[in-house]
Amino acid sequence: MSTKKYIKFNKKYIFSLLTIIVCIFVLFAMYKKYYKAGNRILPVQYSQNIGYWFNEKGAFKSEGILTYFYSAEDGKRYIACNRNGCNHDTKECPAYGSNTAITYDNTGIYYVSIGEGEGPFQATLYHVDIDGDNKEKIHDFKSMEIITDAVYIDNKLYIAYQNTLDKNGNTMDENEVGILEYDIRTKRERHIFNIKKNNAYISSINVNKGKLFILCAYSDMTYDEAVKYKNNKKFIDSKSKYLLLRVDLQNLREKVIAKKIFYLTNIPIVGNYIIYAKDNGTYAYNMDKENSKMISHKICEVLENISTNNEVIISNTNESGKREYVCYNKYLKKKRKVESEKYCVGFSEKYVYLYDKNANLLYEKTNDFLAGKNEVRKFK
């Protein structure tokens, strides 16, 4: 994902976080020429700072009341709708509205619209054909205020959410966060995970081999303590939790995989490993052996590997002030290392997506980027 999300637990953070997140809800559909779905369903990654959702062919961005697709195939921008004769001015248009992009399968796009139902926090699941047409309502969820991540695999949708307001619209002393499973075939909901803590937040989830992996943060401070000790960094740090959790999807048993997570960004899967960064280095968790090993003594940001689990890229800032990117294969063997002044936020087998110093979205072929060719392009 984008920038370092090392959460500071104070009251001021709540309002700034809400301001950022509430603005990110985007609806998207795929323009047929630039969409290709695989058998394994992977999340479309969202970059919170800039407002893009990435996939292996490009990026989506909500601009005003419409959502656009930035194609890395030809470098152009398109309205994310393929309906004949559509004026893009009603909610029947797949690109129209203020909604949350989710994920896709080989039939099309799944996305959620917040607040379309009767309740203030009702979320509605829609499906749009692979060519950006035939919008269909699938399901209504209740008590879901903010969606922070989602994964769809094996006909099941997993949604991470955060609620900061009660049913009357008043700010709660503690955030409620959780993960909901929805089975597309049986149309049944199941609550997988739920906590209610001060400043609780789920930043990323992933699913593999019947296990749900959760990157989350919260504080054990009470509301009164948060107000009283808001300027006491030592006390705040002692109460702050930054965790990588694992939940067994059969019996819902929870296990803490790692504490003191440094970057609350991505937990990509590469081969048989989950990659994450702690406050003393970057690690790989073996999902079969259920143990972790350090792959770098540097505290690195972990890039989202979009629609691939064969490689992973980690990055840090070196002594010269440049970003240093190291690519590992699925066996955690170093393949390539490259320096760049650009800030890379995600990559697929074909393209990497980057920001320049002015936060403009750029793209480059993955092989060219890792070879250090610096053939970065801007979208037209």
Side-chain angles (χ1 to χ4, degrees):
M1 230 180 240
S2 55
T3 57
K4 170 182 172 182
K5 289 168 37 179
Y6 189 75
I7 299 180
K8 299 179 180 178
F9 288 93
N10 52 52
K11 293 298 294 178
K12 186 177 181 180
Y13 168 76
I14 297 177
F15 298 104
S16 60
L17 177 64
L18 286 176
T19 301
I20 294 171
I21 296 179
V22 170
C23 293
I24 73 173
F25 296 128
V26 291
L27 160 70
F28 75 100
M30 180 70 75
Y31 190 73
K32 186 174 182 180
K33 182 178 180 181
Y34 303 105
Y35 178 83
K36 180 181 178 181
N39 293 325
R40 171 169 169 75
I41 312 306
L42 293 161
V44 179
Q45 182 59 37
Y46 178 71
S47 177
Q48 183 173 321
N49 266 15
I50 311 300
Y52 292 98
W53 294 81
F54 300 103
N55 74 357
E56 74 276 14
K57 294 290 185 180
F60 295 90
K61 186 179 183 183
S62 181
E63 299 177 11
I65 202 64
L66 291 177
T67 297
Y68 292 83
F69 180 60
Y70 289 72
S71 170
E73 297 288 274
D74 63 7
K76 295 181 180 180
R77 186 186 75 158
Y78 300 88
I79 295 176
C81 170
N82 198 33
R83 296 179 66 211
N84 291 330
C86 184
N87 293 321
H88 317 302
D89 56 1
T90 66
K91 67 179 183 179
E92 282 72 31
C93 170
Y96 181 86
S98 222
N99 303 280
T100 302
I102 299 295
T103 187
Y104 57 88
D105 66 5
N106 58 358
T107 68
I109 311 296
Y110 290 95
Y111 62 88
V112 171
S113 174
I114 298 292
E116 283 198 4
E118 296 179 358
F121 308 131
Q122 181 167 298
T124 304
L125 175 66
Y126 289 96
H127 179 270
V128 178
D129 283 353
I130 197 169
D131 61 356
D133 202 353
N134 295 323
K135 184 177 179 181
E136 177 187 5
K137 180 178 177 180
I138 302 297
H139 184 71
D140 284 327
F141 302 104
K142 295 182 179 179
S143 301
M144 194 178 291
E145 179 188 344
I146 300 166
I147 295 175
T148 58
D149 200 7
V151 164
Y152 180 85
I153 188 169
D154 294 335
N155 292 303
K156 293 180 180 178
L157 176 66
Y158 298 89
I159 303 176
Y161 64 88
Q162 179 191 51
N163 295 331
T164 65
L165 306 176
D166 62 23
K167 62 181 180 180
N168 297 317
N170 300 315
T171 300
M172 297 186 292
D173 291 347
E174 297 177 318
N175 292 346
E176 178 189 20
V177 300
I179 297 172
L180 186 72
E181 175 192 82
Y182 178 72
D183 191 313
I184 298 295
R185 292 172 298 186
T186 65
K187 303 186 182 304
R188 292 179 180 175
E189 291 183 20
R190 182 171 66 137
H191 286 274
I192 303 298
F193 175 80
N194 182 272
I195 59 173
K196 195 171 183 180
K197 294 281 188 177
N198 194 331
N199 285 344
Y201 181 71
I202 296 174
S203 63
S204 186
I205 61 175
N206 217 328
V207 179
N208 190 271
K209 298 181 178 180
K211 304 292 191 300
L212 174 69
F213 296 90
I214 307 167
L215 202 57
C216 70
Y218 61 86
S219 173
D220 280 332
M221 287 190 297
T222 64
Y223 177 83
D224 291 337
E225 287 176 332
V227 174
K228 182 178 180 179
Y229 297 103
K230 63 181 180 179
N231 296 319
N232 189 329
K233 185 178 184 302
K234 185 176 180 180
F235 182 82
I236 292 172
D237 289 345
S238 70
K239 294 289 188 177
S240 303
K241 309 296 181 185
Y242 309 90
L243 305 175
L244 173 59
L245 304 175
R246 188 194 70 192
V247 177
D248 190 307
L249 291 175
Q250 287 190 333
N251 53 36
L252 301 187
R253 291 177 182 170
E254 301 170 16
K255 180 179 180 179
V256 176
I257 301 300
K259 302 177 181 179
K260 298 182 179 181
I261 298 295
F262 192 78
Y263 284 111
L264 293 175
T265 50
N266 306 304
I267 42 173
I269 293 173
V270 55
N272 196 44
Y273 299 93
I274 287 275
I275 311 300
Y276 62 95
K278 291 180 60 174
D279 62 352
N280 64 345
T282 305
Y283 291 80
Y285 174 76
N286 189 311
M287 291 179 285
D288 286 338
K289 297 181 179 180
E290 299 187 2
N291 58 24
S292 295
K293 67 177 181 179
M294 181 182 286
I295 61 173
S296 175
H297 68 277
K298 298 177 181 178
I299 304 171
C300 297
E301 293 190 59
V302 185
L303 276 62
E304 184 72 12
N305 51 351
I306 304 161
S307 300
T308 176
N309 63 353
N310 293 318
E311 294 180 326
V312 68
I313 298 176
I314 64 175
S315 71
N316 68 289
T317 303
N318 59 25
E319 295 179 355
S320 65
K322 292 185 177 181
R323 303 292 298 180
E324 182 178 271
Y325 297 91
V326 181
C327 180
Y328 293 82
N329 65 16
K330 63 182 179 180
Y331 306 108
L332 300 184
K333 301 295 183 182
K334 288 185 181 180
K335 293 182 62 179
R336 286 171 285 188
K337 182 169 67 174
V338 65
E339 287 186 354
S340 175
E341 295 180 351
K342 305 295 190 299
Y343 191 89
C344 184
V345 292
F347 77 100
S348 65
E349 291 184 356
K350 195 169 183 179
Y351 297 105
V352 295
Y353 303 103
L354 314 97
Y355 301 142
D356 63 16
K357 62 182 180 181
N358 297 317
N360 295 310
L361 181 65
L362 312 171
Y363 68 101
E364 185 176 8
K365 290 184 178 180
T366 301
N367 288 334
D368 290 346
F369 173 77
L370 292 173
K373 291 186 177 181
N374 195 27
E375 297 184 358
V376 179
R377 300 177 178 88
K378 290 184 178 181
F379 288 96
K380 301 173 184 177

